[in-house]
């Protein structure tokens, strides 16, 4: 007996209904990207290994899917590497390409490679799949889509203001109320580490602080002490563990805390600019919040840091994030090219919309009506009408076989098709169609024009 087929762990098949719902999210994100002036680009599924390796840290390098060279990939391998089982050195000889890990590094490569063709500032968006050899778990896959929007070639903080508006516009269009757009600034985190005398432990400090909502104040302090941050330093940052109030109040507290740090005060100034202008412009359905514990992407973010939390009624991790990076293209030799960007977490947004029942009923991949097949003469009459309806943008189809009527109705029901169109001799003689609402059972005779109107 043939073995039942399967798919690799961390990947998924999507049903027609799931694809329709995903496409609904894609279309809203894409239309908002374009409304805000972002232009689409696409980069290859795989890149040269040297483009990707060493750009994501040691952990990231381990999660990159490598592609074996074509042909006899072991033919020219150094025998010593084989006998020593030196996988790191062996990999460089048998694999020259790898699946992309994210869209940011390929974008940096794109900007450097096409710098003479690009008009800066360059606003680009990209909606493509990426691959990571991660351990699969709920909400984490090895193949998933990223939806990124970035501006490169401008230091202006108005870009950050616009990105907050872009987040709000997308989530408002999706009907999501109460998403929280959290904002922080890398310079503030650096400033805090500076004033407590722990600049050399910035990463340890911020990684621990970022866990405040997960392990609590005591857990964070314990981790900081274990990393060599002193008790005296912890006393100085005590205000951070109960950092409440309005954005204005938080900014005042930060100004006082960071009065001795030039870099920290610069971060406060940048945050104030963004938050004040968002307050003046207003948001539709989202909430902006200053979160000093937010420390994502610290290895490459240099200014603003964003993270979006789903509405409080849904238990879900972040559904978006991003930030400012001052030297995106420096890894490929093009210095001083500042950028800022955000990303939307498609899979988590899908789960949130599903849980809150926010997908419109009209989001479906199915046809509006199924024309039943009573024989070749009736089928030809139906196909002429179907051609006209399709030209008018109506999704319709005909059951291909002259099967029992019960079977044809059952097919429409299983497909979730709302209407059946029945054509017999009477309908052909009177140039009409019998339209049956499969939910109510109501049936009536209509003309082609009426059919177009009802099904559109």
């Amino acid at each position: 007996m043939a073995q039942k087929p399967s798919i690799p762990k961390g990947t998924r098949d999507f049903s027609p209904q799931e694809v329709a719902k995903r496409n609904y999210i894609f279309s809203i994100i894409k239309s908002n990207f374009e409304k805000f002036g972002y232009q689409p680009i696409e980069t290859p599924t795989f890149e040269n290994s040297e483009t990707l390796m060493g750009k994501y840290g040691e952990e990231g390098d381990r999660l990159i899917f490598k592609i074996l060279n074509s042909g006899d990939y072991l033919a020219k391998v150094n025998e010593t590497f084989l006998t020593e089982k030196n996988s790191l050195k062996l990999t460089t000889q048998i694999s020259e390409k790898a699946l992309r890990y994210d869209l940011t590094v390929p974008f940096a490569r794109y900007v450097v490679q096409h710098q003479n063709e690009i008009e800066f500032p360059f606003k680009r968006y990209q909606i493509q799949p990426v691959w990571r050899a991660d351990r699969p778990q709920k909400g984490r896959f090895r193949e998933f889509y990223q939806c990124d929007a970035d501006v490169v070639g401008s230091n202006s903080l108005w870009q950050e203001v616009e990105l907050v508006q872009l987040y709000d516009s997308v989530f408002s269009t999706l009907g999501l109320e109460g998403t929280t757009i959290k904002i922080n600034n890398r310079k503030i985190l650096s400033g805090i580490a500076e004033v407590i005398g722990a600049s050399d432990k910035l990463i340890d400090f911020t990684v621990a602080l970022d866990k405040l909502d997960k392990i609590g104040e005591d857990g964070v302090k314990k981790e900081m002490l274990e990393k060599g941050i002193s008790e005296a330093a912890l006393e100085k940052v005590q205000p951070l563990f109960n950092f409440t109030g309005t954005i204005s109040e938080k900014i005042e507290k930060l100004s006082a805390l960071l009065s001795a740090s030039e870099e920290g005060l610069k971060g406060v100034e940048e945050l104030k600019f963004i938050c004040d202008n968002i307050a003046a412009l207003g948001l539709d359905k989202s909430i902006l919040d200053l979160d000093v514990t937010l420390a994502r992407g610290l290895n490459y973010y240099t200014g603003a840091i964003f993270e979006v939390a789903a509405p409080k009624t849904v238990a879900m991790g972040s559904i978006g994030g991003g930030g400012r990076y001052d030297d995106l293209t420096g890894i490929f030799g093009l210095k001083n090219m500042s950028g800022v960007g955000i990303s939307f977490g498609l899979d988590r947004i899908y789960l949130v919309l599903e849980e809150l029942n926010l997908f419109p009923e009209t989001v479906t991949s199915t046809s509006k009506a199924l024309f039943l097949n009573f024989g070749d003469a009736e089928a030809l009459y139906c196909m002429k009408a179907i051609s006209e309806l399709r030209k008018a943008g109506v999704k319709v189809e005909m059951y291909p076989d002259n099967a029992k009527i019960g079977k044809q109705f059952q097919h429409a029901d299983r497909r979730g098709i709302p209407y059946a169109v029945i054509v017999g001799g009477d309908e052909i003689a009177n140039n009409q169609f019998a339209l049956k609402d499969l939910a109510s059972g109501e049936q009536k005779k209509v003309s082609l024009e009426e059919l177009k109107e009802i099904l559109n």
Side-chain angles (χ1 to χ4, degrees):
M1 185 175 174
Q3 188 177 347
K4 188 178 178 182
S6 62
I7 59 174
K9 284 182 181 177
T11 64
R12 296 160 290 169
D13 287 324
F14 296 106
S15 69
Q17 292 78 16
E18 288 168 326
V19 170
K21 288 177 178 178
R22 285 165 65 85
N23 285 343
Y24 166 73
I25 300 172
F26 281 140
S27 67
I28 285 176
I29 293 174
K30 180 182 174 183
S31 65
N32 276 281
F33 281 167
E34 293 183 352
K35 190 164 64 179
F36 278 70
Y38 290 83
Q39 298 175 285
I41 69 163
E42 290 190 359
T43 58
T45 294
F46 53 92
E47 296 271 354
N48 291 325
S49 296
E50 62 197 31
T51 300
L52 303 179
M53 298 300 288
K55 310 302 189 301
Y56 307 102
E58 193 178 324
E59 178 64 20
D61 280 357
R62 282 202 298 270
L63 300 181
I64 292 173
F65 276 108
K66 286 82 174 176
I67 300 171
L68 286 175
N69 294 339
S70 302
D72 187 358
Y73 53 85
L74 286 176
K76 297 179 181 178
V77 167
N78 185 311
E79 290 286 344
T80 307
F81 298 158
L82 275 174
T83 53
E84 290 178 353
K85 297 185 179 177
N86 190 327
S87 58
L88 292 177
K89 289 184 177 177
L90 194 60
T91 300
T92 61
Q93 296 200 343
I94 65 174
S95 172
E96 296 170 355
K97 292 174 281 293
L99 293 178
R100 61 170 173 247
Y101 175 90
D102 72 354
L103 299 179
T104 306
V105 169
F107 173 50
R109 190 264 311 148
Y110 177 94
V111 170
V112 174
Q113 198 169 338
H114 299 274
Q115 58 186 287
N116 296 325
E117 307 150 33
I118 293 172
E119 173 60 31
F120 294 102
F122 180 44
K123 300 173 78 169
R124 89 75 165 91
Y125 77 83
Q126 216 170 330
I127 301 175
Q128 288 186 279
V130 298
W131 293 265
R132 295 181 186 178
D134 219 339
R135 186 170 63 85
Q137 52 188 285
K138 186 181 179 183
R140 181 175 290 176
F141 306 98
R142 287 177 169 172
E143 178 184 61
F144 57 96
Y145 266 81
Q146 286 191 337
C147 310
D148 288 7
D150 290 79
V151 188
V152 66
S154 170
N155 294 305
S156 171
L157 292 173
W158 283 110
Q159 306 289 7
E160 277 87 336
V161 172
E162 253 208 353
L163 287 170
V164 173
Q165 290 182 307
L166 175 55
Y167 264 140
D168 179 50
S169 183
V170 168
F171 293 126
S172 297
T173 311
L174 288 168
L176 264 180
E177 293 203 33
T179 54
T180 302
I181 303 166
K182 300 176 185 178
I183 186 171
N184 197 14
N185 194 294
R186 161 66 189 258
K187 296 181 181 75
I188 285 173
L189 294 166
S190 298
I192 294 169
E194 182 187 337
V195 298
I196 67 171
S199 290
D200 60 329
K201 297 188 181 298
L202 173 64
I203 300 296
D204 291 334
F205 168 75
T206 50
V207 165
L209 188 63
D210 197 33
K211 297 175 184 175
L212 184 60
D213 59 340
K214 299 180 185 74
I215 61 177
E217 181 179 336
D218 291 340
V220 170
K221 286 180 175 177
K222 181 173 179 284
E223 186 170 321
M224 286 183 177
L225 288 168
E226 287 170 355
K227 295 292 184 181
I229 296 168
S230 69
E231 289 274 9
L234 292 185
E235 282 179 31
K236 289 180 182 177
V237 294
Q238 183 59 40
L240 296 182
F241 295 113
N242 188 29
F243 206 75
T244 56
T246 64
I247 288 178
S248 297
E249 289 167 346
K250 288 177 180 177
I251 284 175
E252 278 183 31
K253 290 178 186 177
L254 281 173
S255 296
L257 181 66
L258 296 168
S259 58
S261 169
E262 187 180 338
E263 184 176 15
L265 289 176
K266 175 67 175 166
V268 174
E269 185 187 318
E270 291 179 6
L271 264 187
K272 188 174 187 310
F273 179 92
I274 298 163
C275 294
D276 284 355
N277 281 295
I278 288 296
L281 292 163
L283 295 176
D284 187 4
K285 290 189 167 117
S286 305
I287 302 154
L288 183 66
D289 185 36
L290 196 170
D291 183 353
V292 288
T293 69
L294 181 60
R296 60 178 288 142
L298 207 64
N299 290 336
Y300 46 91
Y301 291 140
T302 53
I305 306 168
F306 299 109
E307 187 167 280
V308 184
K312 290 183 172 64
T313 52
V314 184
M316 183 65 64
S318 67
I319 57 174
R324 164 75 65 174
Y325 35 80
D326 279 341
D327 198 16
L328 168 71
T329 55
I331 51 175
F332 298 117
L334 181 60
K335 298 291 183 185
N336 304 315
M337 185 67 75
S338 185
V340 60
I342 58 172
S343 187
F344 290 82
L346 171 80
D347 295 297
R348 288 183 174 180
I349 292 169
Y350 182 105
L351 294 171
V352 170
L353 295 183
E354 193 89 293
E355 187 166 331
L356 296 176
N357 198 26
L358 288 175
F359 282 110
E361 287 183 15
T362 52
V363 176
T364 174
S365 61
T366 198
S367 298
K368 290 293 291 289
L370 178 72
F371 283 70
L372 303 191
N373 190 332
F374 282 77
D376 287 345
E378 292 86 351
L380 179 60
Y381 179 84
C382 288
M383 287 302 289
K384 288 177 180 176
I386 286 169
S387 296
E388 290 299 313
L389 288 165
R390 286 173 177 165
K391 284 176 188 173
V394 185
K395 291 196 287 187
V396 287
E397 61 184 279
M398 184 179 72
Y399 194 83
D401 304 310
N402 181 9
K404 290 180 180 177
I405 298 308
K407 184 178 180 182
Q408 297 188 46
F409 274 120
Q410 190 178 59
H411 179 74
D413 184 53
R414 286 176 175 169
R415 289 271 311 281
I417 298 174
Y419 291 98
V421 180
I422 303 157
V423 170
D426 286 349
E427 283 77 21
I428 293 174
N430 294 299
N431 203 25
Q432 288 182 315
F433 303 86
L435 180 67
K436 184 169 185 174
D437 184 324
L438 295 177
S440 66
E442 181 188 347
Q443 184 171 315
K444 60 182 176 181
K445 298 279 183 80
V446 295
S447 67
L448 180 58
E449 287 307 311
E450 289 171 320
L451 199 56
K452 275 185 197 174
E453 199 174 314
I454 294 167
L455 298 180
N456 233 328

